[in-house]
Amino acid sequence: MRNPTAAGAVSELAELVLPWLPPPDLAAAASASHAMRAAASAVTAARAADSARGLEAFPAPFVNPIDSQPYSYFIYTPFSLIPSAASFNAQPWGCAWSRTLGPTWPRPDLGLPLAGCSCARGECGGAGCACADAEAEAADASGAGMASLSECGDGCACGPSCENRRTQRGVTVRLRVVRQLKKGWALHAAEAIHRGQFVCEYAGEFLTTEEARRRHRLYDELASVGKLSPALLVIREHLPSGRVCMRVNIDATKVGNVARFINHSCDGGNLRPILVRSSGSLLPRLCLFAARDIVDGEELAFSYGDAKPNPKGLPCFCESSCCPGVLPAEET
Ligand SMILES: C[S@@+](CC[C@H](N)C(=O)[O-])C[C@H]1O[C@@H](n2cnc3c(N)ncnc32)[C@H](O)[C@@H]1O
């Protein structure tokens, strides 16, 4: 006869422990007993139901019409982090209580005296706002490099509901993560998105260039044998002269948000990357906006950058007419 007290203890333990396990350990735990298998299946189903694990406004489910992989495993952050400040390298996923244990918007107040604006309510971003940056628009219009935007931030008197913080409230459009035959996972719109609408930040770990180079070498090796889909982006800001004045490395391979599923398109795709600077923050964030109206179900894509196509690089399956057949690759 089964002991109901022991069975209850097993399921309580399973509920506490299983959400912390990466897929191989979850599969090993599932083989321990009937009760563990049932608990592990529930965790797997909950993970597949929301890649954003309750940290965004809407769930972003995995949909896999191709094979039996129910989800892709990674650590979720709604905004980019500096690795040393990322106090977690494991995160519960697949249970009701995991939602409370991740970083959430708005970001915690760092308590530092930072530069910012002190506009009256409703005036942020206007001509008199210290956070408005007319030059950012000018750089965009000149076509020199990536466009940039300025927003209010941690140093401002306004709160998180300020109109001039439209990229700071996380992902507010419905999305799904769809498995494809050639490109692996891909991010799709799950509702119509209007031209100019903010879609998501490309969130991940901010890396030094030295660390980015180290990881690039490692990822290139793993990717060449099909063991990894690296999501390390290098963004270069240019002066009007064309010279590079800043390099930002964002790695969403292990720690990221839904943007880590966006594939590359050689023709620029339907998303426009913009560097967003918030007052009081040292590093700009890479934010993605709809470059045109996007219909429900369409795959989202952008160009990973101006790095030259590397003849020895991975094959590109974007299918745009200008595609040279290989993905842009960084020269490390
Ligand atoms: C940011 S991730 C995108 C999500 C990825 N497809 C996945 O399954 O996790 C970037 C990686 O996706 C793959 N990828 C992205 N765009 C691609 C394309 N146009 N053709 C082939 N593979 C692509 C490459 O492996 C690349 O390193």
Side-chain angles (χ1 to χ4, degrees):
M1 212 170 86
R2 287 182 69 202
N3 175 345
T5 324
V10 168
S11 84
E12 258 176 50
L13 186 71
E15 201 187 315
L16 280 177
V17 174
L18 299 190
W20 290 93
L21 303 183
D25 298 343
L26 188 64
S31 64
S33 70
H34 261 311
M36 287 298 241
R37 184 154 60 240
S41 300
V43 168
T44 299
R47 288 181 178 181
D50 187 11
S51 59
R53 55 210 79 178
L55 296 171
E56 305 288 3
F58 303 110
F62 290 94
V63 178
N64 188 349
I66 302 293
D67 56 37
S68 59
Q69 200 178 320
Y71 62 90
S72 168
Y73 187 77
F74 65 106
I75 287 174
Y76 201 93
T77 176
F79 43 80
S80 289
L81 300 162
I82 293 167
S84 59
S87 54
F88 58 98
N89 52 20
Q91 183 183 45
W93 182 18
C95 59
W97 53 269
S98 64
R99 191 182 192 287
T100 54
L101 287 183
T104 53
W105 293 103
R107 283 183 241 227
D109 179 359
L110 299 177
L112 301 169
L114 302 164
C117 71
S118 49
C119 298
R121 201 182 160 87
E123 288 181 8
C124 289
C129 174
C131 304
D133 181 0
E135 283 184 22
E137 299 300 326
D140 178 18
S142 75
M146 191 178 289
S148 66
L149 265 183
S150 294
E151 289 192 346
C152 293
D154 294 345
C156 302
C158 54
S161 61
C162 161
E163 286 293 302
N164 193 34
R165 294 175 186 248
R166 68 184 175 128
T167 67
Q168 297 176 40
R169 290 185 265 276
V171 183
T172 54
V173 293
R174 290 182 190 270
L175 301 166
R176 64 176 79 94
V177 182
V178 182
R179 185 90 172 147
Q180 297 189 354
L181 204 52
K182 292 183 170 169
K183 293 185 279 185
W185 296 103
L187 192 67
H188 286 231
E191 67 178 350
I193 303 174
H194 305 296
R195 179 172 187 261
Q197 201 174 331
F198 168 64
V199 176
C200 56
E201 172 177 345
Y202 192 93
E205 298 175 275
F206 281 127
L207 302 183
T208 61
T209 294
E210 192 185 6
E211 175 63 4
R213 287 186 173 136
R214 192 190 68 78
R215 290 195 194 183
H216 255 135
R217 285 193 289 272
L218 178 69
Y219 292 170
D220 282 352
E221 254 174 55
L222 293 170
S224 67
V225 290
K227 286 195 175 160
L228 187 79
S229 278
L232 200 174
L233 276 191
V234 176
I235 304 115
R236 292 182 174 81
E237 254 198 311
H238 297 84
L239 294 168
S241 66
R243 281 187 57 185
V244 174
C245 61
M246 194 174 71
R247 170 177 165 150
V248 181
N249 311 288
I250 306 175
D251 188 6
T253 310
K254 301 264 164 57
V255 180
N257 68 348
V258 286
R260 70 185 292 290
F261 295 111
I262 304 176
N263 288 317
H264 162 84
S265 183
C266 294
D267 67 2
N270 50 14
L271 297 178
R272 181 172 183 233
I274 296 189
L275 278 179
V276 177
R277 292 196 156 72
S278 312
S279 296
S281 292
L282 284 178
L283 290 165
R285 293 176 299 115
L286 183 68
C287 293
L288 298 160
F289 293 76
R292 56 169 171 76
D293 288 343
I294 296 170
V295 298
D296 183 355
E298 206 177 318
E299 181 183 348
L300 304 177
F302 69 104
S303 168
Y304 286 178
D306 52 9
K308 288 195 191 79
N310 175 351
K312 287 192 236 140
L314 296 172
C316 178
F317 299 113
C318 77
E319 291 177 359
S320 63
S321 55
C322 59
C323 177
V326 282
L327 286 170
E330 268 306 311
E331 284 160 21
T332 50

